Amino acid sequence: MSEKKYAVEIEDLVVEFKTDDGIVKALNGVDLKIEEGKTLGLVGETGAGKTTTGLSILRLVPSPPGKIVSGTIKLNGESIFEKPEEEMRKLRGKAVSMIFQDPMTSLNPVMTVEEQIAEVIELHEDINHSGAIQKAKEMLELVGIPGERGTEYPHQFSGGMKQRVVIAIALACSPSLLIADEPTTALDVTIQAQVLEMMKDLRNRLNTSMLMITHDLGIVAEICDTVSVIYGGRVIEHGSLDDVFNNTRHPYTEGLFRSLPNLDDRTSKLKPIKGLMPDPINLPEGCTFYPRCDYAMEICKTVKPSKVYRNDEHYVECHLYDENSVKEGGKIGK
Amino acid sequence: MWKFIVKRLVSMIPVLLGVTLVIYLIMSMAPGDPAKVILGEQATPEQIAALRDELHLNDPVLVQYARYIGGLLTGTMGKSYNSGLECGIEIMARFPNTVRLASVSVVLSVVLALPLGVIAAVKQNTIFDGASMVFALIGISMPVFWLGMLLILFFSLRLGWFPSSGSEGLKSLVLPAVTLGFQHMASIARVTRSSMLEVIRADYIRTARAKGVSENKVITKHALKNALIPTVTVIGLQIGGMLGGSVMTESVFAWPGIGRLMVQSINKRDIPMVLGCVIMFSVSFSIINLIVDVLYGFIDPRIKSQYK
Amino acid sequence: MSENKKTNINELSTKYKKRSQTADIFRRLCRNKTAVIGGIVVIILLLMAIFADVLHDYEGEVIKQDVTQRLQSPSAEHWFGTDEMGRDLFARVCYGAKYSLLIGFCAAVVSIAIGLVLGALAGFYGGWIDMIIMRIMDVLLAIPGTLLAIAIMASLGASIGNLVIALSVSGIPGFARIVRSSVLTIKDSEYVEAARAIGATDRIIIFRHVLPNGMAPLIVQATLRIGSVILSAAGLSFLGLGVPAPHPEWGAILSNARSYIRDYSYIALFPGLAIMTTILCLNLLGDGLRDALDPKLK
């Protein structure tokens, strides 16, 4: 296990946002590891802390109001919180880059597309402006946009094409870690598949490690090697794709699967998870999921569950399990 | 782009016709007989009647208006009731002074306001931000003419650094330009700050940061140009206020522009001259607005593509 | 399952519907200290304006000339000093609130009322009504506001009534435009479409949906408009085209003070401060209202 090399390791990350209504606890001790060349799916509902996790890796949590309270993040074994800003800046776009959620607003409206791609190349590579522009055109071709359209502005592109441009910016300097924050949510289903296919292809070609942030379990199944399920700012279940999909342990993860439509049995009813995400200002004292959990017990209200490992990789944070019962499974209804 | 400018110039024609009509109608409501104003109190009724005939004052207002427009097209604004000379000559002689004052004020206010607004936004909630916004608030709340009076009091009467009136040399331009520009500087600084605050929270700024762009470049290269879009709108909207302000400023500093000419003419009931001045201001206003619109296209490609 | 759903909906509605929107806006406004200060000063000024004739004796104090008391520096007896005719400046400046605020409110209300009707007609019905109204507004907008007012005053002559007319006219096109554009956006919005789909009448749509949602920019503009009317009124009076003598309008007092500024600068100080304070507080209130009405900006 120790010889495994990780592209990113996050330990016990706590991030808070100060607002008028109180302190929003966005992340409450997130643990996350991605092996080099592998893809991790970070799954959860809106507001669970997915994007904040991604931004933390770039050290771009908006501050104020945001604040990284504690924890460590290591990129290729080096802790990023000790780095001076200048050094961190050199990592952004080069070692780690991020594809943002909303392609409509993620591009600068007053700069041409090729300028926006060339900018990141010029920043990180020893190349002159016209060379960078040339490479930007190549990147456009790579994501399936004719190079000559590079002189156009974002408003002249469709949503899907904008997302491709965002991806081209993120991949321009062949980063070793790519954070993709719901890269397909804003797109039509048909274009979703294309974009996803393209990302998979690029990942294989450039051997990039990837953090795939999504709420779409279909995408996870398609592209990820390991899965972390995040709820209330904590990873509550983590394991390989097979572990999480076929040996689901946490009631919340189970709930996520049950709220998916079943294509094989079209008469089956969807079973949405009852209730709403807890208010991140007043998180429940014990397990953050207990108010919505069908299996809630007395202990869940007061004591935070700790990790229970099913195998080297797969763990769950839930009072339903102990060292032994977690291996048997079947605790939660099928 | 040229097509757009020509189109705009053509569409200005009906608007300016409307403007002249409105102003002509307003001025024709003035009580008193212009013939009496010209000839003075001692004139005989026959003299007055003769002059009324000569000036076509007995025609319906709209006919008079049509004749006035005809005159404008052939380059005459009519004779001043006061001096008997062609109004256009006097107005064109004064106009450059107003342009000089207004343009120096615009440049001064924009050059000072942009950095002030940007720095205030970047250093939001610091002492600098607070101080410059208090300064700006005071600026937009101060009557132009009062600021002019205070400046005269301190820098002219007390310290003797600048003349309190006249238009000789650069020195005499300083106080009027500061007076006229101050309010605009204040409001431009405020808008720049607030649009900058909005822009630096935008997703594309986050994208720029994620690319590894340095904070300075994020502000100057990515944020500023976007923040300028609402700022230019406000500068455009302010121009009208600035032309109004120039009337006050020119009065306070006895600056020989058309604003002062207009006020003097109002006091002498010299209707053609007042009419000419207001029309001159309105035409300038329309042209400035056109320039601002063109400027817009240079900043915002989304607007430029509509200009085709 | 269905019971579960019901409790969820109840939970939700109690959580989110407890505070009404108005109360929410008011709460946000009260949290903004500068806006509260601005609001309080505006209320004090309003009270000074409304009760001007109760607080001050117009004949015996405000316009009473006394040559023996002329051009006195500020003292215990004359807090702001006296002018060239021996009139007490404190009484004049305080009484002057009446003119400025009266003119400011009246002209703003007239502009809004006419602008609201014209803008709503243009926006809601479109077509040739929109065409005609907006072309006229374009013409009025092409004349800088202050100059339009100056032209009207030059023609009609200096009086308070004419001043209100002049300043109202120049404010109409701005409001008509704001109202028209918000009516247009709201008219096309999905919630109005939804209301129409469930059979709401024009009247319900206008009063329930269009007006409340278009109110926010209007209120903010109104507050700022009062300020700019007061500034313009003072400017016109300063040029001798506004409130005629001997009424102690602030701009008129300043106009008088010009000849004495070298030796008696206090005459020019207090009326100017009065104008500035009034505008400043209206602006603070307006900014506060804008922030309170538009929580997006926070």
Side-chain angles (χ1 to χ4, degrees):
Chain A
M1 206 173 140
S2 55
E3 67 266 29
K4 273 185 187 170
K5 280 180 114 183
Y6 292 101
V8 62
E9 294 164 89
I10 300 180
E11 260 167 47
D12 199 27
L13 185 65
V14 178
V15 176
E16 292 176 350
F17 289 91
K18 274 207 180 89
T19 68
D20 286 353
D21 300 319
I23 291 172
V24 173
K25 293 185 170 139
L27 300 182
N28 302 296
V30 164
D31 296 311
L32 199 148
K33 281 178 182 173
I34 305 175
E35 246 183 276
E36 270 184 11
K38 292 281 182 351
T39 298
L40 175 110
L42 186 60
V43 185
E45 285 166 89
T46 309
K50 292 173 292 175
T51 304
T52 307
T53 308
L55 287 174
S56 301
I57 300 173
L58 286 164
R59 238 173 67 186
L60 279 180
V61 174
S63 162
K67 195 181 165 217
I68 294 175
V69 179
S70 61
T72 55
I73 298 180
K74 286 184 189 162
L75 275 177
N76 301 320
E78 287 179 49
S79 171
I80 62 161
F81 291 151
E82 275 100 71
K83 287 186 190 296
E85 176 60 24
E86 184 58 23
E87 215 172 301
M88 196 59 219
R89 196 175 66 67
K90 284 180 181 148
L91 289 178
R92 290 182 198 131
K94 173 81 181 150
V96 200
S97 57
M98 186 156 173
I99 299 169
F100 290 101
Q101 187 167 6
D102 189 352
M104 309 311 271
T105 56
S106 292
L107 293 173
N108 190 334
V110 301
M111 276 170 85
T112 61
V113 163
E114 62 184 17
E115 287 284 346
Q116 297 192 49
I117 304 173
E119 187 179 33
V120 66
I121 300 169
E122 251 178 292
L123 276 168
H124 299 295
E125 284 172 21
D126 193 17
I127 195 167
N128 64 14
H129 186 68
S130 59
I133 293 281
Q134 196 47 48
K135 219 186 145 198
K137 287 190 196 293
E138 285 164 26
M139 283 311 296
L140 279 176
E141 300 274 356
L142 189 71
V143 295
I145 296 173
E148 68 266 18
R149 292 204 62 183
T151 52
E152 292 179 16
Y153 289 92
H155 72 274
Q156 289 159 297
F157 283 55
S158 69
M161 288 173 80
K162 276 186 203 164
Q163 188 60 290
R164 285 159 190 261
V165 174
V166 172
I167 293 170
I169 292 174
L171 294 175
C173 294
S174 318
S176 48
L177 174 66
L178 179 66
I179 304 165
D181 185 0
E182 312 233 6
T184 57
T185 307
L187 306 177
D188 286 342
V189 184
T190 45
I191 300 178
Q192 268 186 23
Q194 283 177 33
V195 168
L196 222 53
E197 205 48 49
M198 187 187 81
M199 287 179 61
K200 238 159 103 177
D201 180 49
L202 294 171
R203 176 194 62 181
N204 296 341
R205 237 191 294 169
L206 305 169
N207 194 32
T208 305
S209 322
M210 210 154 98
L211 172 62
M212 174 63 88
I213 298 172
T214 183
H215 60 256
D216 186 335
L217 290 166
I219 292 176
V220 174
E222 179 103 350
I223 204 168
C224 296
D225 304 300
T226 53
V227 185
S228 290
V229 180
I230 189 167
Y231 186 84
R234 269 190 88 80
V235 174
I236 48 131
E237 181 160 11
H238 167 85
S240 68
L241 193 62
D242 177 63
D243 289 336
V244 175
F245 274 55
N246 299 327
N247 292 292
T248 312
R249 285 296 177 269
H250 201 285
Y252 175 67
T253 317
E254 181 60 25
L256 286 180
F257 283 114
R258 275 202 278 174
S259 44
L260 287 178
N262 186 348
L263 285 180
D264 300 327
D265 178 7
R266 298 200 176 184
T267 56
S268 70
K269 281 213 170 124
L270 289 185
K271 291 184 185 130
I273 304 172
K274 65 181 183 184
L276 288 174
M277 283 280 292
D279 180 0
I281 294 171
N282 302 303
L283 283 176
E285 199 184 317
C287 171
T288 50
F289 185 60
Y290 94 83
R292 302 171 70 184
C293 182
D294 289 335
Y295 309 92
M297 303 175 287
E298 266 315 300
I299 186 172
C300 303
K301 289 183 189 171
T302 48
V303 182
K304 283 201 188 306
S306 49
K307 290 187 177 68
V308 182
Y309 281 89
R310 187 177 146 262
N311 57 34
D312 281 353
E313 186 85 31
H314 191 190
Y315 68 78
V316 59
E317 287 189 347
C318 179
H319 287 302
L320 286 174
Y321 304 98
D322 59 31
E323 303 284 299
N324 300 317
S325 65
V326 73
K327 298 202 165 66
E328 293 154 16
K331 276 255 174 174
I332 50 179
K334 288 260 164 162
Chain B
M1 185 58 104
W2 282 109
K3 229 174 163 182
F4 166 77
I5 294 174
V6 172
K7 232 159 102 189
R8 276 290 309 262
L9 281 171
V10 171
S11 72
M12 259 166 66
I13 294 170
V15 172
L16 286 178
L17 270 177
V19 167
T20 46
L21 177 64
V22 167
I23 298 167
Y24 198 90
L25 289 180
I26 291 172
M27 295 317 294
S28 68
M29 285 190 289
D33 187 344
K36 268 187 200 154
V37 175
I38 297 169
L39 294 170
E41 293 300 320
Q42 292 90 357
T44 62
E46 291 77 35
Q47 281 174 308
I48 290 174
L51 189 63
R52 283 188 68 88
D53 248 13
E54 195 192 320
L55 295 173
H56 307 285
L57 288 175
N58 297 321
D59 292 348
V61 176
L62 284 178
V63 175
Q64 290 185 46
Y65 169 71
R67 190 170 292 122
Y68 184 75
I69 291 296
L72 279 186
L73 292 178
T74 54
T76 165
M77 287 179 157
K79 284 182 180 143
S80 158
Y81 289 172
N82 189 47
S83 62
L85 297 171
E86 164 61 36
C87 289
I89 295 170
E90 176 87 42
I91 289 174
M92 287 325 283
R94 301 273 201 117
F95 188 60
N97 287 328
T98 298
V99 172
R100 188 151 54 106
L101 174 59
S103 47
V104 170
S105 298
V106 171
V107 171
L108 201 69
S109 53
V110 172
V111 164
L112 290 176
L114 288 184
L116 201 66
V118 170
I119 297 172
V122 173
K123 304 212 177 290
Q124 193 195 4
N125 297 333
T126 61
I127 292 175
F128 181 87
D129 179 30
S132 50
M133 284 309 112
V134 169
F135 183 63
L137 253 176
I138 290 175
I140 58 166
S141 308
M142 243 184 181
V144 182
F145 53 91
W146 187 52
L147 175 64
M149 288 168 76
L150 293 183
L151 290 179
I152 289 179
L153 180 62
F154 287 108
F155 294 102
S156 176
L157 299 179
R158 292 276 151 85
L159 298 170
W161 290 355
F162 303 102
S164 66
S165 65
S167 63
E168 307 297 308
L170 266 181
K171 251 188 166 181
S172 60
L173 187 59
V174 175
L175 293 186
V178 170
T179 303
L180 185 53
F182 193 61
Q183 206 169 55
H184 304 280
M185 184 200 74
S187 35
I188 295 167
R190 272 164 57 96
V191 179
T192 308
R193 174 180 178 270
S194 64
S195 64
M196 197 70 188
L197 280 179
E198 206 164 299
V199 167
I200 52 182
R201 287 185 177 77
D203 285 352
Y204 53 83
I205 295 301
R206 194 175 59 183
T207 309
R209 290 204 177 109
K211 284 198 252 180
V213 179
S214 69
E215 201 51 36
N216 275 338
K217 272 228 162 133
V218 167
I219 299 300
T220 53
K221 194 172 163 191
H222 289 266
L224 187 59
K225 208 175 170 196
N226 282 287
L228 274 181
I229 295 167
T231 306
V232 169
T233 317
V234 165
I235 294 175
L237 289 173
Q238 294 269 313
I239 302 284
M242 199 152 196
L243 293 175
S246 75
V247 180
M248 320 278 171
T249 310
E250 289 181 7
S251 290
V252 173
F253 290 95
W255 183 264
I258 55 173
R260 182 152 180 264
L261 176 66
M262 185 172 78
V263 174
Q264 287 169 332
S265 307
I266 289 171
N267 292 333
K268 293 178 195 152
R269 310 222 52 80
D270 191 348
I271 304 282
M273 194 66 101
V274 178
L275 198 58
C277 291
V278 182
I279 288 172
M280 199 66 201
F281 270 122
S282 301
V283 173
S284 321
F285 186 41
S286 294
I287 291 171
I288 296 166
N289 276 331
L290 175 62
I291 295 173
V292 169
D293 277 358
V294 172
L295 213 63
Y296 234 26
F298 280 109
I299 299 175
D300 193 341
R302 285 162 297 187
I303 292 176
K304 195 174 184 176
S305 58
Q306 292 167 13
Y307 281 179
K308 278 168 191 158
Chain C
M1 192 66 205
S2 67
E3 237 171 63
N4 262 343
K5 244 183 206 162
K6 222 180 251 170
T7 51
N8 280 337
I9 291 165
N10 285 340
E11 255 170 50
L12 275 178
S13 55
T14 48
K15 196 171 171 189
Y16 291 101
K17 273 199 179 162
K18 237 180 220 162
R19 296 178 298 208
S20 83
Q21 220 186 344
T22 330
D24 225 31
I25 291 167
F26 191 70
R27 202 173 47 93
R28 274 201 296 268
L29 184 65
C30 287
R31 215 188 281 161
N32 186 339
K33 273 186 215 124
T34 51
V36 170
I37 295 171
I40 291 173
V41 176
V42 169
I43 291 171
I44 293 173
L45 285 165
L46 264 178
L47 292 175
M48 276 170 62
I50 294 167
F51 297 109
D53 288 294
V54 181
L55 294 168
H56 304 279
D57 173 9
Y58 185 70
E59 295 288 337
E61 197 181 6
V62 177
I63 58 161
K64 192 182 135 227
Q65 303 182 5
D66 183 354
V67 193
T68 60
Q69 293 286 311
R70 75 189 287 267
L71 295 169
Q72 302 269 314
S73 298
S75 63
E77 198 190 340
H78 301 291
W79 288 5
F80 293 176
T82 61
D83 66 8
E84 78 283 2
M85 294 183 188
R87 293 176 292 199
D88 180 54
L89 272 174
F90 180 71
R92 285 177 73 75
V93 170
C94 289
Y95 196 85
K98 179 175 151 180
Y99 297 96
S100 289
L101 287 154
L102 191 78
I103 292 165
F105 274 91
C106 289
V109 166
V110 174
S111 307
I112 292 169
I114 300 177
L116 188 79
V117 172
L118 293 179
L121 283 176
F124 203 77
Y125 292 106
W128 61 271
I129 298 180
D130 182 29
M131 242 288 284
I132 291 176
I133 292 176
M134 291 327 282
R135 286 301 82 77
I136 295 173
M137 294 302 118
D138 282 349
V139 166
L140 287 183
L141 272 176
I143 312 170
T146 313
L147 284 156
L148 182 60
I150 288 176
I152 296 174
M153 291 310 289
S155 176
L156 299 182
S159 83
I160 296 173
N162 291 346
L163 192 58
V164 172
I165 294 174
L167 293 169
S168 306
V169 171
S170 53
I172 292 170
F175 282 105
R177 274 203 169 176
I178 294 172
V179 172
R180 175 176 178 270
S181 73
S182 54
V183 167
L184 281 181
T185 29
I186 296 163
K187 199 176 78 172
D188 290 341
S189 68
E190 283 165 24
Y191 57 83
V192 167
E193 230 169 84
R196 218 171 245 138
I198 58 168
T201 59
D202 266 15
R203 207 177 58 189
I204 289 180
I205 288 173
I206 291 177
F207 285 99
R208 279 268 187 76
H209 298 283
V210 179
L211 280 182
N213 284 295
M215 235 30 213
L218 206 63
I219 291 173
V220 175
Q221 278 309 309
T223 322
L224 300 177
R225 176 71 198 165
I226 294 172
S228 75
V229 168
I230 292 177
L231 266 184
S232 304
L236 286 168
S237 301
F238 180 78
L239 296 175
L241 295 169
V243 178
H247 295 299
E249 201 275 342
W250 293 331
I253 303 178
L254 280 174
S255 181
N256 246 349
R258 283 173 78 180
S259 333
Y260 303 94
I261 190 171
R262 180 187 285 271
D263 301 312
Y264 308 99
S265 50
Y266 61 88
I267 305 182
L269 188 64
F270 296 110
L273 275 178
I275 302 176
M276 196 177 92
T277 313
T278 309
I279 310 299
L280 186 70
C281 292
L282 280 165
N283 282 330
L284 290 177
L285 183 63
D287 285 355
L289 277 172
R290 186 191 54 209
D291 293 345
L293 289 167
D294 192 358
K296 259 187 320 202
L297 293 173
K298 277 234 154 171

